[in-house]
Amino acid sequence: MTEYAVHQQDHPVAIRVPVGEFTSTGVADTTDYSVLNKSEITRRGEGIALLGLGNFYHLANQVADELAKDDINATVVNPKFASGLDEELLEELKANHSVVFTLEDGVVEGGWGQRVASFYGPSNVRVKNYGIAKEFHDRYDATELLRENGVSLEQIVADAKQILSV
């Protein structure tokens, strides 16, 4: 990503570095960053799609693992770009998903997940956004702040089970 950003001349590039520990998937990144706003489906399921932006891609996988214990096979998407939406992929998800959860390690209000919700607005797909409230957070424990905002593995799994049982 850095190499692409330094050598391309078409537009500005911002590389967002997540807070906290780096977690590797163990898979080499072969993304062509010159093709903007293309996401990657890394796990195919149906009913519910988990879109984990940035550091929360790993949380989306953890949620999918927990749901699989109850025979709920979620789709997991790595958005790869916070700057825009992969509308083609989002359109594709409509075929066999009724619920989309967006997980982002940032502010929900005006965030990436709300753009996803706006995309699905005129459709029957329900969207739930996870992130933190738009407030000034001073001297906080990140895990506790997320939990206070309903962003924990347990809460997301419980919400998914409740929504899917309706």
Side-chain angles (χ1 to χ4, degrees), residues 53-106:
L53 185 65
N55 242 14
F56 281 18
Y57 168 69
H58 299 290
L59 177 57
N61 276 298
Q62 292 172 341
V63 170
D65 289 342
E66 287 299 311
L67 292 174
K69 293 176 182 176
D70 289 319
D71 294 323
I72 300 170
N73 296 312
T75 293
V76 177
V77 175
N78 182 353
K80 295 199 178 199
F81 292 88
S83 58
L85 301 179
D86 184 343
E87 292 185 4
E88 183 179 326
L89 181 138
L90 295 177
E91 192 66 40
E92 175 188 324
L93 291 176
K94 287 181 183 180
N96 59 356
H97 296 81
S98 59
V99 178
V100 170
F101 281 8
T102 67
L103 310 162
E104 61 186 301
D105 60 347

Side-chain angles (χ1 to χ4, degrees), residues 1 22 35 37 40 70-71 109 158:
M1 188 184 306
F22 173 76
V35 180
N37 302 322
E40 178 183 17
D70 289 319
D71 294 323
E109 184 181 333

